[in-house]
Amino acid sequence: MLRQILSQAKKHPSLIPLFIFIGAGGTGATLYVLRLALFNPDVSWDRKNNPEPWNKLGPTDQYKFYSVNVDYSKLKKEGPDF
């Protein structure tokens, strides 16, 4: 398959940016899904030792990918301990 892509790129050089952007988009999507699967508190891979990982998050833990105007170090806890 890689040979076919390279042969098409040699025949039609205008396809090279298309291959680059499709490859970068696929790589970015794969890395984002891996980030969600490994670091999101909603995902529990170890149900015996940590059945509810979202309850162990502190108010200063940042789990969002990007936050605009929130400083997580200054947040206070608003709720009971579970």
Side-chain angles (χ1 to χ4, degrees):
M1 182 163 170
L2 186 59
R3 284 187 188 180
Q4 187 178 13
I5 292 173
L6 291 176
S7 68
Q8 289 294 322
K10 287 179 184 177
K11 290 178 187 176
H12 305 285
S14 61
L15 291 176
I16 293 173
L18 178 70
F19 293 146
I20 291 172
F21 284 110
I22 287 177
T27 303
T30 302
L31 290 175
Y32 184 68
V33 168
L34 282 173
R35 179 194 174 273
L36 288 177
L38 296 176
F39 300 114
N40 196 352
D42 295 334
V43 178
S44 178
W45 292 98
D46 186 14
R47 290 187 179 196
K48 290 183 180 179
N49 296 328
N50 194 7
E52 296 177 345
W54 51 87
N55 284 337
K56 294 185 179 183
L57 285 177
T60 59
D61 292 337
Q62 179 179 355
Y63 63 92
K64 287 187 175 184
F65 185 69
Y66 178 73
S67 62
V68 181
N69 293 328
V70 179
D71 185 14
Y72 285 94
S73 64
K74 296 180 181 177
L75 290 178
K76 295 179 183 176
K77 187 170 183 173
E78 298 177 5
D81 290 330
F82 289 107

Coordinates of all heavy atoms in Angstrom, one line a residue:
M1 N 0.8 -1.2 0.0 CA 0.0 0.0 0.0 C 0.9 1.3 0.0 O 0.5 2.2 -0.7 CB -0.9 0.0 1.2 CG -1.8 1.2 1.2 SD -3.2 0.8 2.4 CE -3.9 2.4 2.4
L2 N 2.0 1.2 0.7 CA 2.9 2.4 0.8 C 3.5 2.6 -0.6 O 3.7 3.7 -1.0 CB 3.9 2.2 1.8 CG 4.9 3.4 2.1 CD1 4.1 4.6 2.5 CD2 5.9 3.0 3.2
R3 N 3.8 1.5 -1.3 CA 4.4 1.6 -2.7 C 3.4 2.3 -3.6 O 3.8 3.1 -4.4 CB 4.8 0.3 -3.2 CG 6.0 -0.3 -2.6 CD 6.4 -1.5 -3.3 NE 7.5 -2.1 -2.6 CZ 8.1 -3.2 -3.0 NH1 7.7 -3.9 -4.0 NH2 9.1 -3.7 -2.3
Q4 N 2.1 1.9 -3.4 CA 1.1 2.5 -4.3 C 1.0 4.0 -4.0 O 0.8 4.8 -5.0 CB -0.2 1.8 -4.1 CG -1.3 2.3 -5.0 CD -2.6 1.5 -4.8 OE1 -2.8 0.8 -3.8 NE2 -3.5 1.7 -5.7
I5 N 1.0 4.4 -2.8 CA 1.0 5.8 -2.4 C 2.2 6.6 -3.0 O 2.0 7.7 -3.6 CB 0.9 6.0 -0.9 CG1 -0.5 5.5 -0.4 CG2 1.0 7.5 -0.5 CD1 -0.6 5.5 1.1
L6 N 3.4 6.0 -2.9 CA 4.6 6.6 -3.4 C 4.5 6.7 -4.9 O 5.0 7.7 -5.5 CB 5.8 5.9 -2.9 CG 6.1 6.0 -1.4 CD1 7.3 5.1 -1.0 CD2 6.4 7.4 -1.0
S7 N 4.0 5.7 -5.6 CA 3.9 5.7 -7.0 C 2.9 6.8 -7.5 O 3.2 7.5 -8.5 CB 3.6 4.4 -7.6 OG 2.3 4.0 -7.3
Q8 N 1.8 6.9 -6.8 CA 0.9 8.0 -7.1 C 1.4 9.4 -6.8 O 1.2 10.3 -7.6 CB -0.4 7.8 -6.3 CG -1.3 6.6 -6.7 CD -1.8 6.8 -8.1 OE1 -2.2 7.9 -8.5 NE2 -1.9 5.7 -8.8
A9 N 2.2 9.5 -5.8 CA 2.9 10.8 -5.5 C 3.9 11.2 -6.6 O 4.0 12.3 -6.9 CB 3.5 10.8 -4.1
K10 N 4.6 10.2 -7.1 CA 5.5 10.5 -8.2 C 4.8 10.8 -9.5 O 5.3 11.7 -10.2 CB 6.4 9.2 -8.4 CG 7.4 9.0 -7.3 CD 8.3 7.8 -7.6 CE 9.2 7.5 -6.5 NZ 10.0 6.3 -6.7
K11 N 3.7 10.2 -9.8 CA 3.0 10.5 -11.0 C 2.2 11.8 -10.9 O 2.1 12.6 -11.8 CB 2.0 9.4 -11.3 CG 2.6 8.1 -11.7 CD 1.5 7.1 -12.0 CE 2.1 5.7 -12.3 NZ 1.1 4.7 -12.4
H12 N 1.7 12.1 -9.7 CA 0.9 13.3 -9.5 C 1.4 14.0 -8.2 O 0.9 13.8 -7.1 CB -0.6 12.9 -9.3 CG -1.2 12.1 -10.4 ND1 -1.5 12.6 -11.6 CD2 -1.5 10.8 -10.4 CE1 -2.0 11.7 -12.4 NE2 -2.0 10.5 -11.6
P13 N 2.4 14.9 -8.4 CA 2.9 15.6 -7.2 C 2.0 16.5 -6.5 O 2.2 16.8 -5.3 CB 4.1 16.4 -7.8 CG 4.2 16.1 -9.2 CD 3.0 15.3 -9.6
S14 N 0.9 16.9 -7.1 CA -0.1 17.7 -6.4 C -0.9 16.9 -5.3 O -1.6 17.5 -4.5 CB -1.1 18.3 -7.4 OG -1.8 17.2 -8.0
L15 N -0.7 15.6 -5.3 CA -1.4 14.8 -4.2 C -0.6 14.7 -2.9 O -1.1 14.3 -1.9 CB -1.6 13.4 -4.7 CG -2.6 13.2 -5.8 CD1 -2.7 11.8 -6.3 CD2 -4.0 13.7 -5.4
I16 N 0.7 15.2 -3.0 CA 1.5 15.1 -1.8 C 0.9 15.9 -0.6 O 0.9 15.3 0.5 CB 3.0 15.6 -2.1 CG1 3.6 14.6 -3.1 CG2 3.8 15.7 -0.9 CD1 4.9 15.0 -3.6
P17 N 0.5 17.1 -0.7 CA -0.2 17.8 0.5 C -1.4 17.0 1.0 O -1.6 17.0 2.2 CB -0.6 19.1 -0.1 CG 0.3 19.4 -1.2 CD 0.6 18.0 -1.8
L18 N -2.1 16.4 0.1 CA -3.3 15.6 0.5 C -2.9 14.5 1.4 O -3.5 14.2 2.5 CB -4.1 15.1 -0.7 CG -5.3 14.3 -0.4 CD1 -6.4 15.1 0.2 CD2 -5.8 13.6 -1.7
F19 N -1.9 13.7 1.0 CA -1.4 12.6 1.8 C -0.8 13.1 3.1 O -1.0 12.4 4.1 CB -0.3 11.9 1.0 CG -0.8 11.1 -0.2 CD1 0.0 11.0 -1.3 CD2 -2.0 10.6 -0.3 CE1 -0.4 10.4 -2.5 CE2 -2.5 9.9 -1.4 CZ -1.6 9.8 -2.5
I20 N -0.2 14.2 3.1 CA 0.4 14.7 4.4 C -0.7 15.1 5.4 O -0.7 14.7 6.5 CB 1.3 16.0 4.1 CG1 2.6 15.5 3.4 CG2 1.7 16.7 5.4 CD1 3.5 16.6 2.9
F21 N -1.7 15.8 4.9 CA -2.8 16.2 5.8 C -3.7 15.1 6.2 O -4.1 15.0 7.4 CB -3.7 17.3 5.1 CG -3.0 18.7 5.1 CD1 -2.6 19.2 3.9 CD2 -2.8 19.4 6.3 CE1 -2.0 20.5 3.9 CE2 -2.2 20.6 6.3 CZ -1.8 21.2 5.1
I22 N -3.9 14.1 5.4 CA -4.7 12.9 5.8 C -3.9 12.1 6.8 O -4.4 11.6 7.8 CB -5.1 12.1 4.6 CG1 -6.2 12.8 3.8 CG2 -5.5 10.7 5.0 CD1 -6.6 12.1 2.5
G23 N -2.6 12.0 6.6 CA -1.7 11.3 7.6 C -1.7 12.0 8.9 O -1.8 11.4 10.0
A24 N -1.6 13.3 8.9 CA -1.5 14.1 10.1 C -2.9 14.1 10.9 O -2.9 13.9 12.1 CB -1.1 15.6 9.9
G25 N -4.0 14.1 10.1 CA -5.3 14.0 10.8 C -5.5 12.7 11.4 O -6.0 12.6 12.5
G26 N -5.1 11.6 10.7 CA -5.3 10.3 11.3 C -4.4 10.1 12.5 O -4.8 9.5 13.5
T27 N -3.2 10.6 12.5 CA -2.3 10.5 13.6 C -2.8 11.3 14.8 O -2.8 10.8 15.9 CB -0.9 11.0 13.2 OG1 -0.4 10.2 12.1 CG2 0.1 10.8 14.4
G28 N -3.3 12.5 14.5 CA -3.9 13.3 15.6 C -5.1 12.7 16.3 O -5.3 12.7 17.5
A29 N -6.0 12.1 15.4 CA -7.2 11.4 16.0 C -6.8 10.2 16.8 O -7.4 10.0 17.9 CB -8.1 11.0 14.8
T30 N -5.8 9.5 16.3 CA -5.4 8.3 17.1 C -4.8 8.7 18.4 O -5.1 8.1 19.5 CB -4.4 7.5 16.3 OG1 -5.0 7.1 15.0 CG2 -3.9 6.3 17.0
L31 N -3.9 9.7 18.4 CA -3.3 10.2 19.7 C -4.4 10.7 20.7 O -4.3 10.5 21.9 CB -2.3 11.2 19.4 CG -1.0 10.7 18.7 CD1 -0.1 11.9 18.4 CD2 -0.3 9.7 19.6
Y32 N -5.4 11.4 20.2 CA -6.4 11.9 21.0 C -7.3 10.8 21.6 O -7.6 10.9 22.8 CB -7.3 12.9 20.3 CG -8.4 13.6 21.1 CD1 -8.0 14.5 22.1 CD2 -9.7 13.3 21.0 CE1 -8.9 15.1 22.9 CE2 -10.7 13.8 21.8 CZ -10.3 14.8 22.8 OH -11.2 15.3 23.6
V33 N -7.6 9.8 20.9 CA -8.4 8.7 21.4 C -7.6 7.9 22.5 O -8.1 7.5 23.5 CB -8.8 7.7 20.3 CG1 -9.4 6.4 20.8 CG2 -9.9 8.4 19.4
L34 N -6.2 7.8 22.2 CA -5.4 7.1 23.2 C -5.3 8.0 24.5 O -5.4 7.4 25.6 CB -4.0 6.9 22.7 CG -3.8 5.8 21.7 CD1 -2.4 5.8 21.1 CD2 -4.1 4.5 22.4
R35 N -5.3 9.3 24.4 CA -5.3 10.2 25.5 C -6.6 10.0 26.3 O -6.6 9.9 27.6 CB -5.1 11.6 25.1 CG -5.1 12.6 26.3 CD -5.3 14.0 25.9 NE -5.4 14.9 27.0 CZ -6.6 15.1 27.6 NH1 -7.7 14.6 27.2 NH2 -6.6 15.9 28.6
L36 N -7.7 9.9 25.6 CA -9.0 9.7 26.3 C -9.0 8.4 27.0 O -9.5 8.3 28.1 CB -10.1 9.9 25.3 CG -10.5 11.3 24.8 CD1 -11.6 11.2 23.8 CD2 -10.8 12.2 25.9
A37 N -8.5 7.4 26.4 CA -8.6 6.0 26.9 C -7.7 5.8 28.1 O -8.0 5.1 29.0 CB -8.3 5.0 25.9
L38 N -6.6 6.6 28.2 CA -5.6 6.3 29.2 C -5.7 7.3 30.4 O -5.4 7.0 31.5 CB -4.2 6.4 28.6 CG -3.8 5.3 27.6 CD1 -2.5 5.5 27.1 CD2 -4.0 3.9 28.3
F39 N -6.1 8.6 30.1 CA -6.1 9.6 31.2 C -7.4 10.2 31.5 O -7.5 11.0 32.4 CB -5.1 10.7 30.7 CG -3.7 10.3 30.5 CD1 -3.2 10.3 29.2 CD2 -3.0 9.8 31.5 CE1 -1.9 9.9 28.9 CE2 -1.7 9.4 31.3 CZ -1.1 9.5 30.0
N40 N -8.5 9.8 30.9 CA -9.8 10.3 31.3 C -10.3 9.6 32.5 O -10.2 8.4 32.7 CB -10.8 10.1 30.1 CG -12.0 10.9 30.2 OD1 -12.2 11.6 31.2 ND2 -12.8 10.9 29.2
P41 N -10.8 10.4 33.5 CA -11.3 9.8 34.8 C -12.6 8.9 34.6 O -12.9 8.2 35.5 CB -11.5 10.9 35.7 CG -11.7 12.1 34.8 CD -10.9 11.8 33.6
D42 N -13.3 9.1 33.5 CA -14.5 8.3 33.2 C -14.2 6.9 32.8 O -15.1 6.0 32.8 CB -15.3 9.0 32.2 CG -15.8 10.3 32.6 OD1 -16.0 10.5 33.8 OD2 -16.1 11.2 31.8
V43 N -12.9 6.6 32.4 CA -12.6 5.3 32.0 C -11.9 4.5 33.1 O -11.0 5.0 33.7 CB -11.6 5.3 30.8 CG1 -11.2 4.0 30.3 CG2 -12.3 6.1 29.6
S44 N -12.4 3.3 33.4 CA -11.8 2.5 34.5 C -11.3 1.2 33.9 O -12.1 0.3 33.5 CB -12.9 2.2 35.5 OG -12.4 1.4 36.5
W45 N -10.0 1.0 33.8 CA -9.3 -0.2 33.3 C -9.1 -1.2 34.4 O -9.0 -2.4 34.1 CB -8.0 0.2 32.7 CG -8.1 1.0 31.4 CD1 -8.0 2.3 31.3 CD2 -8.4 0.5 30.1 NE1 -8.2 2.7 30.0 CE2 -8.4 1.6 29.3 CE3 -8.7 -0.7 29.6 CZ2 -8.7 1.5 27.9 CZ3 -8.9 -0.8 28.2 CH2 -9.0 0.3 27.4
D46 N -9.1 -0.8 35.7 CA -8.8 -1.6 36.8 C -10.0 -1.6 37.7 O -10.1 -0.8 38.7 CB -7.6 -1.2 37.5 CG -7.2 -2.2 38.6 OD1 -7.7 -3.3 38.6 OD2 -6.3 -1.9 39.4
R47 N -11.0 -2.4 37.5 CA -12.3 -2.3 38.3 C -12.1 -2.9 39.7 O -12.9 -2.6 40.6 CB -13.4 -3.0 37.6 CG -13.8 -2.2 36.4 CD -15.1 -2.8 35.8 NE -15.5 -2.0 34.6 CZ -16.6 -2.1 34.1 NH1 -17.5 -2.9 34.6 NH2 -16.9 -1.3 33.0
K48 N -11.2 -3.8 39.9 CA -11.0 -4.4 41.2 C -10.4 -3.5 42.2 O -10.8 -3.3 43.4 CB -10.2 -5.7 41.1 CG -10.9 -6.8 40.4 CD -10.0 -8.0 40.4 CE -10.8 -9.1 39.7 NZ -10.0 -10.4 39.6
N49 N -9.3 -2.8 41.8 CA -8.6 -1.9 42.8 C -9.1 -0.5 42.8 O -9.0 0.2 43.8 CB -7.1 -1.9 42.4 CG -6.5 -3.2 42.6 OD1 -6.9 -4.0 43.5 ND2 -5.5 -3.6 41.8
N50 N -9.7 0.0 41.7 CA -10.2 1.3 41.6 C -11.5 1.4 40.8 O -11.5 1.8 39.6 CB -9.1 2.2 40.9 CG -9.4 3.7 41.1 OD1 -10.3 4.1 41.8 ND2 -8.6 4.5 40.4
P51 N -12.6 1.0 41.4 CA -13.9 0.8 40.7 C -14.5 2.2 40.2 O -15.2 2.2 39.3 CB -14.8 0.1 41.6 CG -14.3 0.4 43.0 CD -12.8 0.6 42.8
E52 N -14.2 3.2 41.0 CA -14.8 4.5 40.7 C -13.7 5.6 40.7 O -13.5 6.4 41.7 CB -15.9 4.9 41.7 CG -17.1 4.0 41.6 CD -18.1 4.3 42.6 OE1 -17.9 5.0 43.6 OE2 -19.2 3.8 42.4
P53 N -12.9 5.7 39.6 CA -11.7 6.7 39.7 C -12.2 8.1 39.7 O -11.4 9.0 40.1 CB -11.0 6.3 38.4 CG -12.0 5.7 37.5 CD -12.9 5.0 38.4
W54 N -13.4 8.4 39.2 CA -13.8 9.8 39.2 C -14.1 10.4 40.6 O -14.1 11.6 40.8 CB -15.1 9.9 38.4 CG -16.1 9.0 38.7 CD1 -17.1 9.1 39.7 CD2 -16.3 7.7 38.2 NE1 -17.9 8.0 39.7 CE2 -17.4 7.1 38.8 CE3 -15.7 7.0 37.2 CZ2 -17.9 5.8 38.5 CZ3 -16.1 5.7 36.9 CH2 -17.2 5.2 37.5
N55 N -14.2 9.5 41.6 CA -14.4 10.0 43.0 C -13.1 10.4 43.6 O -13.1 11.1 44.7 CB -15.1 8.9 43.8 CG -16.6 8.8 43.5 OD1 -17.2 9.8 43.0 ND2 -17.2 7.7 43.8
K56 N -12.0 10.0 43.1 CA -10.7 10.3 43.7 C -10.1 11.6 43.1 O -9.0 11.9 43.5 CB -9.7 9.1 43.5 CG -10.2 7.9 44.3 CD -9.2 6.8 44.2 CE -9.7 5.7 45.1 NZ -8.7 4.6 45.1
L57 N -10.8 12.3 42.2 CA -10.3 13.5 41.7 C -10.5 14.6 42.7 O -11.5 14.8 43.3 CB -11.0 13.9 40.4 CG -10.7 13.1 39.2 CD1 -11.6 13.6 38.0 CD2 -9.3 13.3 38.8
G58 N -9.4 15.4 42.8 CA -9.5 16.6 43.7 C -10.0 17.8 42.9 O -10.1 17.8 41.7
P59 N -10.4 18.9 43.6 CA -10.9 20.0 42.9 C -9.8 20.7 42.1 O -10.1 21.5 41.2 CB -11.4 20.9 44.0 CG -10.7 20.5 45.2 CD -10.4 19.0 45.1
T60 N -8.5 20.5 42.3 CA -7.5 21.1 41.6 C -7.0 20.3 40.4 O -6.0 20.7 39.7 CB -6.3 21.5 42.5 OG1 -5.8 20.3 43.1 CG2 -6.8 22.5 43.6
D61 N -7.5 19.1 40.2 CA -7.1 18.2 39.1 C -7.7 18.7 37.8 O -8.9 18.8 37.7 CB -7.5 16.8 39.4 CG -6.8 16.2 40.5 OD1 -5.7 16.7 40.8 OD2 -7.3 15.2 41.1
Q62 N -6.9 18.9 36.8 CA -7.4 19.3 35.5 C -7.4 18.1 34.6 O -6.4 17.4 34.4 CB -6.5 20.4 34.9 CG -6.9 20.8 33.5 CD -6.1 21.8 32.9 OE1 -5.1 22.3 33.5 NE2 -6.3 22.1 31.6
Y63 N -8.6 17.7 34.2 CA -8.7 16.6 33.3 C -9.3 17.0 31.9 O -9.4 16.1 31.0 CB -9.6 15.5 33.9 CG -11.0 15.9 34.2 CD1 -12.0 15.7 33.2 CD2 -11.4 16.5 35.4 CE1 -13.3 16.0 33.5 CE2 -12.6 16.8 35.6 CZ -13.6 16.6 34.7 OH -14.9 17.0 34.9
K64 N -9.6 18.2 31.7 CA -10.0 18.7 30.4 C -8.8 18.9 29.5 O -7.7 19.2 30.0 CB -10.8 20.0 30.5 CG -12.1 19.9 31.1 CD -12.9 21.2 31.0 CE -14.3 21.1 31.5 NZ -15.0 22.3 31.3
F65 N -9.0 18.7 28.2 CA -7.9 18.9 27.3 C -7.5 20.4 27.2 O -6.3 20.7 27.2 CB -8.3 18.4 25.9 CG -7.2 18.4 24.9 CD1 -6.1 17.6 25.1 CD2 -7.2 19.3 23.9 CE1 -5.1 17.6 24.1 CE2 -6.2 19.3 22.9 CZ -5.1 18.4 23.1
Y66 N -8.4 21.3 27.2 CA -8.2 22.7 27.1 C -9.3 23.5 27.9 O -10.4 23.2 27.7 CB -8.2 23.1 25.6 CG -7.9 24.6 25.4 CD1 -6.7 25.1 25.6 CD2 -9.0 25.4 25.0 CE1 -6.5 26.5 25.4 CE2 -8.8 26.8 24.8 CZ -7.5 27.3 25.0 OH -7.3 28.6 24.8
S67 N -8.8 24.4 28.7 CA -9.8 25.2 29.4 C -9.4 26.7 29.2 O -8.2 27.0 29.3 CB -9.9 24.9 30.9 OG -8.6 25.1 31.5
V68 N -10.4 27.5 29.0 CA -10.1 28.9 28.6 C -9.7 29.8 29.7 O -8.6 30.4 29.8 CB -11.2 29.5 27.8 CG1 -10.9 30.9 27.3 CG2 -11.6 28.6 26.6
N69 N -10.6 29.9 30.7 CA -10.5 30.9 31.7 C -10.5 30.3 33.1 O -10.8 31.0 34.1 CB -11.6 32.0 31.6 CG -11.4 32.8 30.4 OD1 -10.3 33.1 29.9 ND2 -12.5 33.3 29.9
V70 N -10.2 29.1 33.3 CA -10.3 28.4 34.6 C -8.9 28.1 35.1 O -8.1 27.5 34.5 CB -11.1 27.1 34.5 CG1 -11.2 26.4 35.8 CG2 -12.5 27.3 34.0
D71 N -8.7 28.6 36.4 CA -7.4 28.3 37.0 C -7.7 27.2 38.1 O -8.3 27.5 39.1 CB -6.9 29.6 37.7 CG -5.5 29.4 38.3 OD1 -4.9 28.3 38.0 OD2 -5.1 30.2 39.1
Y72 N -7.3 26.0 37.8 CA -7.6 24.9 38.6 C -6.9 24.9 40.0 O -7.4 24.2 40.9 CB -7.3 23.6 37.9 CG -8.3 23.3 36.8 CD1 -8.1 23.7 35.5 CD2 -9.5 22.6 37.1 CE1 -9.0 23.4 34.5 CE2 -10.4 22.3 36.1 CZ -10.2 22.7 34.8 OH -11.1 22.5 33.8
S73 N -5.9 25.6 40.1 CA -5.2 25.7 41.4 C -5.9 26.5 42.4 O -5.7 26.3 43.6 CB -3.8 26.2 41.2 OG -3.9 27.6 40.8
K74 N -6.9 27.3 42.0 CA -7.6 28.2 43.0 C -9.0 27.7 43.3 O -9.8 28.3 44.0 CB -7.7 29.6 42.4 CG -6.4 30.2 42.3 CD -6.5 31.6 41.7 CE -5.1 32.3 41.6 NZ -5.2 33.6 41.0
L75 N -9.4 26.5 42.7 CA -10.8 26.0 43.0 C -10.9 25.4 44.3 O -9.9 24.8 44.9 CB -11.1 25.0 41.9 CG -11.3 25.5 40.5 CD1 -11.7 24.3 39.6 CD2 -12.5 26.5 40.4
K76 N -12.0 25.5 44.9 CA -12.3 24.9 46.2 C -13.3 23.7 46.1 O -14.1 23.7 45.1 CB -12.9 25.9 47.2 CG -11.9 27.0 47.5 CD -12.5 28.0 48.4 CE -11.6 29.2 48.7 NZ -12.2 30.2 49.5
K77 N -13.3 22.8 47.0 CA -14.2 21.7 46.9 C -15.6 22.1 47.3 O -15.8 22.7 48.3 CB -13.7 20.6 47.8 CG -14.4 19.3 47.7 CD -13.8 18.2 48.4 CE -14.6 16.9 48.2 NZ -13.9 15.8 48.7
E78 N -16.5 21.7 46.5 CA -17.9 22.0 46.7 C -18.7 20.7 46.8 O -19.4 20.4 45.8 CB -18.5 22.9 45.6 CG -17.8 24.2 45.5 CD -18.3 25.0 44.3 OE1 -19.3 24.5 43.7 OE2 -17.8 26.1 44.0
G79 N -18.7 20.0 47.9 CA -19.5 18.8 48.0 C -18.9 17.9 49.0 O -17.8 18.1 49.5
P80 N -19.6 16.9 49.4 CA -19.2 15.9 50.4 C -18.1 14.9 49.9 O -18.0 14.8 48.7 CB -20.5 15.2 50.8 CG -21.3 15.2 49.5 CD -21.0 16.5 48.9
D81 N -17.4 14.3 50.8 CA -16.5 13.2 50.4 C -17.3 11.9 50.3 O -18.2 11.6 51.0 CB -15.4 13.0 51.5 CG -14.5 14.2 51.6 OD1 -14.2 14.8 50.5 OD2 -14.0 14.5 52.7
F82 N -16.9 11.1 49.3 CA -17.5 9.8 49.1 C -16.6 8.8 49.4 O -15.4 8.8 49.1 CB -18.1 9.7 47.7 CG -19.2 10.6 47.4 CD1 -19.1 11.7 46.6 CD2 -20.5 10.2 47.9 CE1 -20.2 12.5 46.3 CE2 -21.6 11.0 47.6 CZ -21.5 12.1 46.9

